[in-house]
Amino acid sequence: MNLNVGGDRNVVLAGSIVAYEDYSLTEGLEGFRFGVTVKDLRTGRTLHHEPTGKRKVCGECELEFGFGHTTAIVVNEGGEVAWIVEVPVDEGGGYQVHAVDSAGSRVLDSGPEINPSSLALGGSTLYWMHGAQADTAALH
């Protein structure tokens, strides 16, 4: 029996650029794979495909299965993307803010006090709430 389960969530558009969370479960894998994909709808080209987070499985080893579902995604017309993901308790708990742009893929912030639905994009500046403080970062 071949089992394939999955779908897309949190779809956002910026001009001809679409970003979304994709997830799937395939027979033989240990759990779901969670990723964020960015595509150019004019060309069909995938600009980015990143796990929602990287799980530690053996001390320093990391699996690119992702942590789980995103709580928010933003994207701009250049294809730069950011998202918030809930971190599982066995990985420390809380939330992480991720970004992918010309500087690469990186974690911008983490902690239990990040507001999971607070991510916003104004021009090339990301905004989110960490407790009572508004934090920012630039997308390049």
Side-chain angles (χ1 to χ4, degrees):
M1 180 173 107
N2 197 4
L3 176 65
N4 289 307
V5 177
D8 301 329
R9 295 172 29 115
N10 289 337
V11 179
V12 293
L13 291 169
S16 66
I17 304 297
V18 63
Y20 57 93
E21 172 199 318
D22 57 85
Y23 63 99
S24 63
L25 171 67
T26 305
E27 187 177 21
L29 295 178
E30 293 182 14
F32 279 93
R33 288 182 181 263
F34 296 91
V36 172
T37 298
V38 179
K39 289 189 176 190
D40 185 330
L41 294 175
R42 287 174 295 160
T43 65
R45 188 172 139 236
T46 298
L47 305 176
H48 306 289
H49 181 73
E50 296 286 330
T52 59
K54 294 184 180 179
R55 291 184 171 271
K56 300 263 188 229
V57 293
C58 61
E60 295 182 19
C61 301
E62 292 182 339
L63 285 179
E64 295 191 2
F65 289 136
F67 283 144
H69 291 299
T70 58
T71 61
I73 299 175
V74 296
V75 67
N76 65 20
E77 291 184 14
E80 291 85 12
V81 64
W83 65 91
I84 296 177
V85 63
E86 185 172 5
V87 179
V89 173
D90 64 339
E91 295 284 334
Y95 297 92
Q96 289 182 347
V97 180
H98 289 255
V100 180
D101 60 11
S102 63
S105 177
R106 62 199 189 281
V107 177
L108 300 173
D109 194 6
S110 63
E113 294 183 0
I114 292 173
N115 180 323
S117 61
S118 64
L119 193 63
L121 181 62
S124 62
T125 304
L126 286 171
Y127 302 89
W128 67 94
M129 295 299 295
H130 191 131
Q133 178 180 334
D135 283 331
T136 65
L139 284 180
H140 312 288

